[in-house]
DNA sequence: ATGAAAGCGCTAACAC
DNA sequence: GTGTTAGCGCTTTCAT
């Protein structure tokens, strides 16, 4: 018969293991972990040696059970593949790092159902706080019981009054379209997509308001979600007698699509059609012509959101204000 | 004297709270949480109602203490602001989501000290697994005791034999430089930076080997970390009789810098100088001319790394293999 | 079908 | 300076 193998520790070593091997009590090990006050140098050294040898790391789960913070915040964004949100994540992470905190990342894909599951997953992990860019149609049902602060960024949450940081979408879009008007453009087309997002709606509305106020015709293609739909949208407006003379694009990916389509068609920018986009993008200044845009202060938005979160976690600052950050008109050569 | 306020629950509700209010035992609530088997419909409904009312979510910390997995993996990258790593993070997150797992994100900034602290932080949180792009000079000291699988991506870890997934940096760079040779270029300059990274070194080496084998002069500027250093590096090689006729750029940000500098200087691409870069980038096909590159299969690398990690977490697959994924030569119009 | 109770790894309060 | 112990929120027997 095979001898029963001596039971082998398969999981991570625990404080008790360290205590047993070092021949001390658990309290002593705890003291060593937490700075080593009130422990004799000799004991300290021995315990540290054992910890080292075992590769011991204290379990946050056990500490959490005693009420300690998780030193973790949650971040929910549609996807981290989008440069806007990856830049945001980087900025948020940096602020978190300054507070000794890690970021638990979740991608909602703008799906409120998925978002809700992720909120739940974060609550279960007892994060100390949460930053999210709410999906359209997301509700705060789960959040209202949350024992930690929550701040929204880029978009407000429909039915909740949460601390929120976002760009001045309406004002920024106004500045862009007004600039086109000032330059003398008469037929200004608004091209955009993702109409479910509040941010998009604000930009659409600003275009509409400005052209109306200027007595110009309202021209819009609001279903441009990808290259193909953008292309077909444009085709309806750049031929014939009633072709547009300028385009306001409400999103950087759309701006790039528009640029490509116009290039392919041999349309001169800004000679035949002027172009300005909402949101800056990486090579906007290198294209021919360099593209004029209104730029959101992405890093500042995200950093501010994170700072407000940590403020609330420290019980400083009143909650529930909306911070609107100004966008910047970056004139290059496309209009 | 002010009446002492009734003690109010400040932290998240616990299972015991649900049990007490529902008038059942803790075991019953536990059963309800875990699927509701062996619970009468009546009790089930009541308990669920109380859970709902309280916004109860079970604590993962308490479960972890009983040996349950954290359903969390760690991801350490230099920064998530870099498109390569944000795309990777998105892909890894997607795979993790399929496994009901969240991603704990940490940014090492290529600093081995910071990386070590983050590894420690992840171990303390008892992640089920970890994916990292090791910093140059990082050692596996902490990792050797880790009770969970670890896989590296983009770069191998110097002294450890861990499962690793990366692009064929040497082979890909060879293909790029060989293409330049085949096109008849005679003076091929290699421009790059971040020489501390193994990936960079492989690319440098491939260029050196290919030009040597072709009997061409070895020309390299390996300290191009940003626009300014790239600019001054180029200036040394594009004037005078011994100017270069082609450039191999080892990194996409460098490629963009080179493009800008050549444009500013009025150097025609590929007329006066041919250009090819390692790593594709977003608008490479929209520039004038479109830039030829060797493209890493970023998503496939990250996805594979994540899949291998989950395989190891499920105790499938042997550990410690190195997977090298082929890069793709994308010929556009710059050489 | 349900309750009682032990124990997971740690901290804090207390005893020595 | 150091050991002992209760208890944090769960899961999991074991009775009932």
């Amino acid at each position: 018969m095979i001898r029963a193998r001596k039971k082998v520790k398969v999981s991570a070593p625990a404080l008790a293991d360290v205590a047993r091997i070092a021949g001390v009590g658990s309290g002593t090990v705890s003291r060593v972990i937490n700075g080593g006050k009130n422990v004799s140098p000799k004991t300290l050294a021995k315990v540290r040696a054992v910890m080292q040898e075992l590769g011991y790391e204290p379990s946050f789960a056990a500490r959490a059970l005693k009420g300690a913070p998780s030193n973790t915040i949650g971040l929910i964004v549609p996807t981290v593949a989008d440069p806007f949100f990856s830049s945001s994540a980087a900025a948020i992470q940096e602020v978190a790092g300054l507070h000794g905190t890690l970021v638990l990342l979740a991608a909602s894909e703008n799906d409120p159902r998925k978002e809700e599951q992720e909120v739940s997953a974060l609550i279960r992990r007892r994060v100390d706080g949460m930053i999210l860019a709410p999906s359209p149609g997301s509700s705060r049902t789960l959040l209202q019981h949350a024992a930690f602060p929550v701040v929204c960024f880029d978009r407000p949450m429909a039915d909740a009054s949460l601390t929120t940081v976002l760009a001045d979408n309406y004002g920024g879009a106004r500045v862009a379209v007004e600039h086109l008007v000032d330059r003398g453009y008469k037929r200004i087309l608004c091209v955009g997509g993702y109409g479910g997002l509040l941010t998009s709606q604000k930009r659409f509305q600003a275009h509409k308001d400005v052209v109306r106020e200027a007595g110009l015709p309202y021209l819009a293609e609001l279903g441009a979600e990808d290259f193909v739909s953008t292309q077909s949208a444009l085709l309806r407006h750049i031929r014939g007698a009633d072709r547009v003379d300028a385009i306001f694009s409400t999103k950087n990916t759309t701006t790039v699509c528009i640029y490509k389509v116009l290039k392919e068609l041999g349309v001169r920018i800004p000679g035949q059609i002027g172009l300005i986009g909402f949101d800056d993008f990486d090579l906007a200044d290198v294209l021919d012509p360099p593209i004029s845009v209104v730029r959101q202060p992405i890093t500042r938005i995200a950093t501010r959101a994170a700072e407000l979160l940590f403020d609330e976690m420290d019980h400083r600052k009143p909650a529930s204000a909306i911070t609107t950050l100004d966008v910047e008109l970056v004139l290059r050569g496309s209009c």
Side-chain angles (χ1 to χ4, degrees), chain A:
Chain A
M1 179 186 143
I2 295 169
R3 248 326 244 325
R5 248 205 316 156
K6 196 162 102 189
K7 200 170 109 185
V8 169
K9 195 84 184 168
V10 56
S11 52
L15 180 144
D17 298 319
V18 177
R20 184 170 33 77
I21 295 175
V24 301
S26 54
T28 301
V29 178
S30 181
R31 269 166 236 135
V32 172
I33 295 170
N34 298 290
K37 290 292 156 213
N38 296 331
V39 179
S40 76
K42 199 164 131 62
T43 315
L44 192 67
K46 175 187 286 180
V47 172
R48 288 222 168 110
V50 174
M51 285 180 10
Q52 179 86 33
E53 186 192 348
L54 262 45
Y56 169 76
E57 296 279 357
S59 157
F60 268 37
R63 284 182 173 175
L65 224 45
K66 296 293 290 185
S70 61
N71 288 320
T72 305
I73 61 171
L75 172 63
I76 304 183
V77 293
T79 167
V80 77
D82 181 323
F84 178 88
F85 291 110
S86 62
S87 301
S88 302
I92 289 166
Q93 191 163 238
E94 183 165 343
V95 175
L98 262 26
H99 292 260
T101 296
L102 250 37
V103 175
L104 207 36
L105 190 64
S108 68
E109 287 162 25
N110 282 325
D111 176 353
R113 278 175 44 85
K114 204 165 178 227
E115 178 181 307
E116 193 170 352
Q117 290 188 326
E118 293 171 334
V119 169
S120 163
L122 292 175
I123 295 178
R124 288 165 183 232
R125 284 167 178 79
R126 298 294 187 263
V127 292
D128 302 332
M130 191 168 119
I131 299 180
L132 84 164
S135 302
S138 89
S139 73
R140 36 129 221 188
T141 33
L142 282 177
L143 254 25
Q144 66 197 144
H145 289 288
F148 50 80
V150 177
V151 352
C152 297
F153 82 108
D154 185 48
R155 319 156 180 178
M157 179 120 106
D159 60 347
S161 62
L162 294 165
T163 300
T164 303
V165 184
L166 35 55
D168 183 3
N169 289 289
Y170 181 83
R174 274 200 75 103
V175 167
V177 180
E178 280 167 356
H179 180 256
L180 292 176
V181 172
D182 291 347
R183 300 286 294 176
Y185 292 104
K186 297 299 179 199
R187 298 182 55 78
I188 302 170
L189 176 69
C190 175
V191 181
Y194 296 94
L197 300 181
L198 237 42
T199 49
S200 300
Q201 291 166 15
K202 295 281 188 190
R203 298 172 196 175
F204 297 167
Q205 186 63 46
H207 163 264
K208 182 184 267 182
D209 290 353
V210 172
V211 295
R212 285 267 160 86
E213 289 164 17
L216 301 177
Y218 171 63
L219 300 162
E221 289 286 349
L222 273 18
E225 313 290 350
D226 53 25
F227 183 81
V228 173
S229 53
T230 304
Q231 188 173 38
S232 62
L234 283 183
L235 256 18
R236 290 192 279 276
H237 295 276
I238 61 180
R239 298 285 185 214
D242 60 343
R243 73 170 173 77
V244 304
D245 58 4
I247 299 174
F248 167 57
S249 161
T250 64
K251 197 175 185 323
N252 52 14
T253 54
T254 306
T255 310
V256 172
C257 289
I258 294 171
Y259 175 86
K260 286 192 196 181
V261 172
L262 295 183
K263 275 278 158 178
E264 273 177 20
L265 263 37
V267 176
R268 276 174 290 112
I269 310 172
Q272 293 174 282
I273 293 185
L275 175 62
I276 191 166
F278 201 106
D279 269 0
D280 203 357
F281 55 97
D282 228 21
L283 297 181
D285 59 328
V286 176
L287 296 184
D288 177 37
I291 308 298
S292 299
V293 299
V294 285
R295 176 197 292 153
Q296 299 192 61
I298 304 184
T299 302
R300 272 181 31 227
I301 292 174
T303 301
R304 174 68 69 84
E307 287 170 350
L308 289 175
L309 179 68
F310 280 97
D311 283 349
E312 288 190 32
M313 282 162 45
D314 293 346
H315 306 104
R316 278 180 285 142
K317 293 254 173 104
S320 300
I322 293 187
T323 305
T324 305
L325 262 37
D326 284 340
V327 305
E328 180 190 355
L329 182 61
V330 181
L331 261 18
R332 296 199 260 242
S334 64
C335 61

